[in-house]
Amino acid sequence: MAREANATLSDRIMIESPLLAMTRTTPTDYWNDSCAVDELEYAVARGASGATSNPPIVLEVLRHDPDPWRARARELYAAFPTWSERELTWQLVEELAVRAAAVLTPVFEATAGAKGRLSLQTDPTLYRDSAAMSAQAVHFAGLAPNIQVKLPVTSAGLAAIEDATAAGVHINATVNFTLAGALAVGEAVERGLARWAAAGHDPASLHPVCTLMVGRLDDWLKADAEREGLVPTPGVLDWAGIAVFKRAAALYGARGYRTRLLAAAYRHRLHWTELVGGDVILTMPHAWQVRFNASGITPAPRIAEPVPAPVLDELGTLAEFRAAYEPDGLTIAQLDTYGATVRTLRQFIGAYHELQATVRDFVLPNPDQRPA
């Protein structure tokens, strides 16, 4: 009876969850774009096979459920009297990551390590220091067997991606918006895998990922259009990230890169429905998962479908889109100064400082403010 009940539950979730149906009927996987345990449990029950985190996500988790983390911060504060605010903060971040990784352990074990990983982002203030990022990546990889490490697609970050891969770290390239950046990641990982193999290891044992933050590219083009006083056709800029991702997927396949592409930063349903069908990953915030699962949409494979020609033609008139869309649109050095990169780095660094301030409030509450 229990087996029948479980089967019935599974069938019901399958019917009610287009996302689960997608993972069962196409090569496309999806991840939960948060390390919050309740959201991750919802996602895993509906086919999610991984999760991501970054400074804004961790900050949101602490603010959403502060009591246990305030108590833990105070325990650490008492136990390690010489620890800096930074050390306290990173200890909490690591414990959050390990807790979330445990939720994914059944997926990790069922797939022999191919899936079921939690992505943990390196310190965003280190984006210019490849050695420091590589060292932190190796440290993070030792926290749990199913940790993936996020490194930014800056010139120093690309060096760290190669070095971390060569050290056996499962990397997730992030803060990336352009085809040039995605191709640079593919090449950096291939160099790292060659070094890993030269050291006597099996390259197939690593599962590298390259993120394209499709919605953040759209955001940047909209901000640039506003700044320049442009009047694009409504809806056209919502295709920018999709166009870059589709082209990246085609070139990754043609060049045989052993890195999987991942689409992130969801803004609308096309960031889901237009990217289904490839051997790619879609990482979605909980709110979008709930909306998609309630939509009644049955996603069909569309990643190979071209962007409508009029849309692509209009996008091609924008210099910032051409920089993101063309394989040689940016040099490695120019990746550091591309508008979407700078905007996102600033946000991540700002969230990281807010995260430290939150930990400070946990252990040194402001005496001038009354408790809530």
Side-chain angles (χ1 to χ4, degrees):
M1 292 296 292
R3 184 178 301 172
E4 292 177 3
N6 288 337
T8 301
L9 176 61
S10 177
D11 291 343
R12 189 176 77 245
I13 291 176
M14 180 76 167
I15 294 169
E16 294 175 353
S17 174
L19 294 177
L20 177 58
M22 175 189 73
T23 65
R24 296 281 180 85
T25 60
T26 79
T28 306
D29 287 326
Y30 92 93
W31 288 5
N32 186 63
D33 198 18
S34 173
C35 56
V37 166
D38 56 344
E39 295 179 3
L40 185 50
E41 289 174 341
Y42 169 94
V44 170
R46 291 158 181 81
S49 57
T52 55
S53 65
N54 58 35
I57 287 173
V58 173
L59 180 62
E60 183 180 348
V61 171
L62 291 188
R63 287 177 171 173
H64 177 71
D65 188 24
D67 291 343
W69 297 106
R70 180 185 296 109
R72 179 59 178 150
R74 290 177 176 176
E75 287 178 3
L76 293 168
Y77 187 73
F80 300 96
T82 64
W83 271 16
S84 67
E85 189 174 275
R86 181 182 185 278
E87 288 170 304
L88 285 169
T89 299
W90 278 109
Q91 181 62 32
L92 290 182
V93 170
E94 291 176 11
E95 291 184 12
L96 270 162
V98 170
R99 186 183 69 160
V103 179
L104 290 161
T105 296
V107 179
F108 179 76
E109 292 176 345
T111 61
K115 302 178 184 181
R117 296 182 180 275
L118 184 282
S119 285
L120 175 59
Q121 187 158 335
T122 53
D123 183 340
T125 68
L126 300 177
Y127 67 94
R128 300 175 64 196
D129 189 337
S130 61
M133 284 188 282
S134 297
Q136 193 174 41
V138 171
H139 168 69
F140 284 169
L143 295 175
N146 57 334
I147 293 290
Q148 195 123 13
V149 182
K150 299 175 79 171
L151 295 150
V153 182
T154 59
S155 51
L158 287 164
I161 285 167
E162 177 183 339
D163 289 344
T165 301
V169 176
H170 302 260
I171 67 93
N172 179 352
T174 189
V175 192
N176 184 41
F177 319 87
T178 70
L179 180 58
L183 297 178
V185 170
E187 294 293 338
V189 170
E190 290 300 315
R191 292 191 298 271
L193 289 174
R195 290 166 56 188
W196 176 246
H201 304 289
D202 180 6
S205 66
L206 298 184
H207 302 281
V209 169
C210 176
T211 293
L212 275 162
M213 307 183 88
V214 292
R216 285 179 178 268
L217 175 60
D218 297 356
D219 294 345
W220 167 239
L221 292 183
K222 291 173 185 178
D224 185 63
E226 186 73 19
R227 183 184 62 185
E228 297 294 327
L230 305 178
V231 284
T233 301
V236 163
L237 299 184
D238 291 326
W239 285 87
I242 294 167
V244 171
F245 193 92
K246 284 176 180 275
R247 195 172 195 188
L251 284 174
Y252 262 50
R255 298 187 181 188
Y257 291 146
R258 290 171 284 185
T259 300
R260 291 184 83 190
L261 286 171
L262 180 151
Y266 275 54
R267 301 293 185 265
H268 50 77
R269 82 175 199 185
L270 293 182
H271 287 151
W272 168 41
T273 55
E274 282 293 321
L275 304 180
V276 173
D279 184 17
V280 299
I281 304 165
L282 313 178
T283 186
M284 304 177 185
H286 176 72
W288 278 112
Q289 293 173 49
V290 172
R291 292 170 72 174
F292 290 158
N293 281 327
S295 69
I297 296 171
T298 301
R302 294 191 56 83
I303 195 167
E305 296 290 324
V307 172
V311 170
L312 196 57
D313 288 344
E314 183 171 344
L315 286 171
T317 66
L318 306 174
E320 290 297 290
F321 174 75
R322 294 196 301 274
Y325 185 71
E326 296 300 331
D328 57 354
L330 295 169
T331 65
I332 298 299
Q334 288 172 331
L335 293 172
D336 292 15
T337 57
Y338 186 62
T341 302
V342 175
R343 288 178 112 220
T344 300
L345 281 173
R346 287 178 58 87
Q347 182 187 1
F348 283 3
I349 292 168
Y352 172 60
H353 289 313
E354 286 188 58
L355 186 59
Q356 290 191 73
T358 298
V359 174
R360 182 187 314 132
D361 288 340
F362 284 170
V363 298
L364 288 175
N366 189 340
D368 297 323
Q369 295 179 350
R370 292 182 178 181

